[in-house]
């Protein structure tokens, strides 16, 4: 695991080194300075720095892991002959609009997964002088390193292990973001109003980078995060960092938000995933299944799927609620309609 984390950190540093060459101070720059052009809308930008940062990240990954697949924001998916089974998800510049406008919340984000399990992640924010990283079962960490200078850090500060937000504090802050599409944005506003009320949040924060939002939940700056419609590379690294900091995390069920959007959640939100809606025109949607399993050890059966004493858990992207009865456990599962087979494979003992 240490080797994968070392590669992730080296790749994120390489991407951030390109971003650190942004000309001038943190002031808005013109299109001609950045080689900028729009993608899906007038607010969705890509710059030469996005491309250069992704090139740098891919160079590091190919050098150390030539048989791994790569999925990146600018160049899409890259397959290889004799694949290793490991796949990297990279966002070379998360927060492009911030980068253009001179706002410091932008970063390079790198994560790797194997057979559906995310195993290492690193995020570097050069204008903030901050790095975050994590490995599966190895904890999450952050350090201040000062502004990057041509890819080389100053003497780094001692890493700090992350443990998530303080529980029970007042003035809780919820982080989120909004889509470029006006129709989806209206849906997001509606759902966030529910979250602010249910989670007793005092205010919202919109930093403009989902990766950094998740890092700031991990380090306790923010209390929770909820966003609908993120792409996988937006949340891949940040979600593992938050998870390894001990924060409850729920990843989107589908990686492609343009066709099958879903919620990415972190922290105590006051609402469970199954209580949040998906858009009415969602091509897959959610389903609710009811079943039961005969057992004389109800608590023992439930605890095979969760480390806590709770009667609810998440498995195969389904929220599973258990009700104990005499000699049985009744199960209600809510999740993606195209994931029923995977759920039933995980819960083979349940009669649906």
């Amino acid at each position: 695991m240490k080797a994968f984390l070392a590669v992730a950190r080296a790749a994120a540093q390489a991407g951030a080194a390109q971003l650190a060459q942004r000309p001038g101070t943190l002031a808005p720059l013109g299109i001609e300075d950045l080689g900028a052009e729009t993608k899906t809308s007038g607010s969705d930008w890509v710059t030469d720095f996005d491309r250069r940062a992704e090139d740098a990240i891919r160079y590091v990954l190919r050098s150390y892991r030539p048989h791994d697949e790569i999925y990146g924001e600018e160049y899409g998916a890259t397959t290889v002959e004799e694949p290793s089974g490991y796949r990297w998800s990279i966002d070379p510049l998360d927060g492009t609009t911030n980068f253009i406008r001179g706002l410091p919340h932008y970063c390079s984000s790198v994560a790797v997964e194997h057979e559906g399990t995310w195993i290492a992640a690193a995020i570097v924010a050069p204008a903030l002088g901050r790095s975050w990283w994590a490995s599966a079962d190895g904890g999450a960490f952050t350090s201040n390193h000062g502004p990057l200078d041509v890819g080389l850090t100053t003497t780094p500060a001692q890493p700090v292990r992350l443990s998530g937000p303080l529980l029970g504090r007042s003035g809780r802050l919820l982080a989120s973001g909004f889509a470029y599409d006006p129709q989806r944005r209206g849906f997001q506003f509606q759902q966030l109003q529910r979250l602010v009320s249910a989670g007793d949040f005092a205010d919202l924060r919109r930093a403009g980078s989902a990766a950094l939002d998740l890092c700031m939940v991990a380090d306790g700056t923010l209390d929770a995060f909820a966003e609908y419609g993120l792409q996988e590379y937006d949340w891949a690294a940040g979600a593992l960092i938050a998870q390894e900091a001990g924060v409850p995390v729920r990843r989107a069920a589908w990686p492609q938000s343009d066709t099958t959007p879903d919620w990415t959640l972190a922290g105590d939100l006051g609402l469970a995933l199954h209580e949040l809606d998906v858009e009415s025109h969602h091509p897959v949607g959610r389903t609710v299944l009811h079943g039961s399993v005969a057992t004389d050890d109800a608590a023992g059966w439930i605890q095979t799927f969760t480390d806590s004493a709770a009667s609810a858990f998440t498995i195969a992207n389904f929220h599973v609620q258990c009700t104990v009865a005499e000699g049985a456990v009744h199960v209600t599962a809510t999740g993606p309609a195209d994931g029923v087979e995977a759920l039933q494979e995980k819960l083979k003992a349940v009669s649906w």
Side-chain angles (χ1 to χ4, degrees):
M1 208 68 69
K2 290 182 179 179
F4 285 101
L5 180 57
V7 174
R9 294 188 67 189
Q13 285 274 14
Q18 295 297 318
L19 306 185
Q21 295 178 34
R22 181 188 188 277
T25 60
L26 279 178
L29 296 174
I31 292 175
E32 66 281 358
D33 299 312
L34 299 165
E37 59 187 7
T38 58
K39 293 192 288 187
T40 62
S41 78
S43 300
D44 187 10
W45 290 90
V46 61
T47 73
D48 287 342
F49 285 88
D50 294 74
R51 302 182 188 96
R52 284 163 46 187
E54 183 154 335
D55 286 337
I57 292 169
R58 285 176 177 266
Y59 178 81
V60 172
L61 297 180
R62 286 195 303 266
S63 298
Y64 287 100
R65 303 288 308 176
H67 297 288
D68 294 356
E69 296 180 336
I70 303 173
Y71 174 50
E73 179 174 12
E74 306 310 331
Y75 300 134
T78 300
T79 57
V80 296
E81 294 184 6
E82 302 179 6
S84 63
Y86 293 88
R87 184 177 63 87
W88 297 82
S89 187
I90 61 177
D91 192 344
L93 174 46
D94 188 36
T96 301
T97 300
N98 287 350
F99 182 83
I100 293 172
R101 299 273 185 149
L103 298 169
H105 288 82
Y106 55 83
C107 64
S108 288
S109 172
V110 177
V112 59
E113 62 93 13
H114 182 245
E115 297 180 347
T117 299
W118 295 94
I119 61 174
I123 291 173
V124 180
L128 296 175
R130 290 284 301 276
S131 295
W132 295 260
W133 64 92
S135 60
D137 299 321
F141 300 85
T142 188
S143 70
N144 294 311
H145 50 64
L148 289 173
D149 183 12
V150 198
L152 300 175
T153 63
T154 58
T155 303
Q158 187 70 21
V160 175
R161 185 158 190 158
L162 305 179
S163 57
L166 294 173
L167 299 180
R169 66 179 169 188
S170 61
R172 291 186 354 115
L173 297 176
L174 172 65
S176 190
F178 304 102
Y180 301 115
D181 176 68
Q183 184 176 1
R184 180 174 293 180
R185 196 158 57 235
F187 168 79
Q188 290 169 317
F189 284 141
Q190 180 188 58
Q191 296 299 303
L192 283 172
Q193 286 179 323
R194 296 179 59 208
L195 280 168
V196 168
S197 177
D200 193 26
F201 291 101
D203 208 345
L204 286 169
R205 287 295 179 269
R206 169 70 168 121
S209 165
L212 292 180
D213 282 341
L214 286 162
C215 287
M216 287 189 284
V217 175
D219 67 24
T221 304
L222 301 172
D223 296 286
F225 171 81
E227 187 164 346
Y228 181 82
L230 291 174
Q231 300 280 13
E232 178 195 86
Y233 47 70
D234 292 318
W235 53 256
L240 180 60
I241 291 167
Q243 177 180 302
E244 285 298 318
V247 177
V249 169
R250 193 272 177 182
R251 296 166 174 84
W254 305 278
Q256 300 290 341
S257 71
D258 47 352
T259 55
T260 47
D262 197 14
W263 287 95
T264 301
L265 309 174
D268 177 13
L269 290 155
L271 285 177
L273 169 69
H274 68 284
E275 297 176 282
L276 288 168
D277 297 331
V278 294
E279 292 166 291
S280 58
H281 58 276
H282 195 285
V284 177
R286 293 213 186 105
T287 188
V288 180
L289 303 176
H290 300 279
S292 62
V293 57
T295 177
D296 293 326
D297 183 13
W301 184 84
I302 294 171
Q303 287 174 6
T304 59
F305 304 102
T306 176
D307 294 332
S308 69
S311 60
F313 54 89
T314 299
I315 189 169
N317 285 309
F318 275 78
H319 174 84
V320 179
Q321 180 69 51
C322 300
T323 303
V324 177
E326 185 175 354
V329 176
H330 299 302
V331 177
T332 300
T334 306
D338 62 353
V340 172
E341 185 176 341
L343 174 72
Q344 293 175 338
E345 179 66 23
K346 296 283 187 180
L347 302 181
K348 292 181 178 179
V350 178
S351 298
W352 299 99

